[in-house]
Amino acid sequence: MNFFSNLPFVVAAFSVGLAVLVIFQDRRSFVHRIFAAGMVLLALEAAAIGIGLRTSLFAEIIYWQHIRLIMTSFLPGVWLLFALTYARANYKEVLSRWRWVVLAVFVVPLALSTF
């Protein structure tokens, strides 16, 4: 195994570590939970890349890349939620105005990645 096949797992470990650190600071904060969810999704994506790099069969590589694509399709929605709620006292009002955009940002990439 070389350095480049281990790098995605290192990235995943750091992403999960950062998510855990943020959650332990304030578990009740909606912004912290959204940030942690985004970091866990990035960790899962990196792990799928790492597993795909370690396999030798073409069908398995395609399978793990498809899993990575599905996980990546959730990222725009999570980071949009984070951007809309970060440093806002009235984030519930903002989310109620943006609910259809947020829903579309979750549904459209997921639909495109599965079909």
Side-chain angles (χ1 to χ4, degrees):
M1 295 291 151
N2 60 10
F3 174 74
F4 294 109
S5 65
N6 291 329
L7 191 59
F9 297 109
V10 173
V11 170
F14 277 113
S15 296
V16 168
L18 186 59
V20 168
L21 181 71
V22 167
I23 285 293
F24 279 139
Q25 282 186 345
D26 187 9
R27 292 182 186 167
R28 295 184 179 158
S29 174
F30 183 72
V31 175
H32 288 177
R33 286 185 278 165
I34 292 297
F35 179 79
M39 294 309 294
V40 167
L41 279 172
L42 288 174
L44 290 172
E45 177 191 14
I49 291 171
I51 293 170
L53 285 174
R54 290 184 175 208
T55 188
S56 60
L57 297 174
F58 183 70
E60 288 183 23
I61 294 170
I62 296 297
Y63 171 77
W64 285 107
Q65 289 300 313
H66 185 71
I67 296 295
R68 182 195 63 84
L69 183 64
I70 290 172
M71 283 186 249
T72 305
S73 68
F74 287 104
L75 286 174
V78 171
W79 292 121
L80 178 64
L81 273 176
F82 176 74
L84 289 174
T85 59
Y86 184 73
R88 295 181 195 237
N90 63 344
Y91 71 89
K92 291 180 182 178
E93 295 172 16
V94 173
L95 287 179
S96 69
R97 286 192 308 250
W98 282 75
R99 69 178 167 261
W100 298 112
V101 175
V102 170
L103 182 66
V105 170
F106 272 107
V107 170
V108 170
L110 183 61
L112 290 174
S113 68
T114 54
F115 298 117

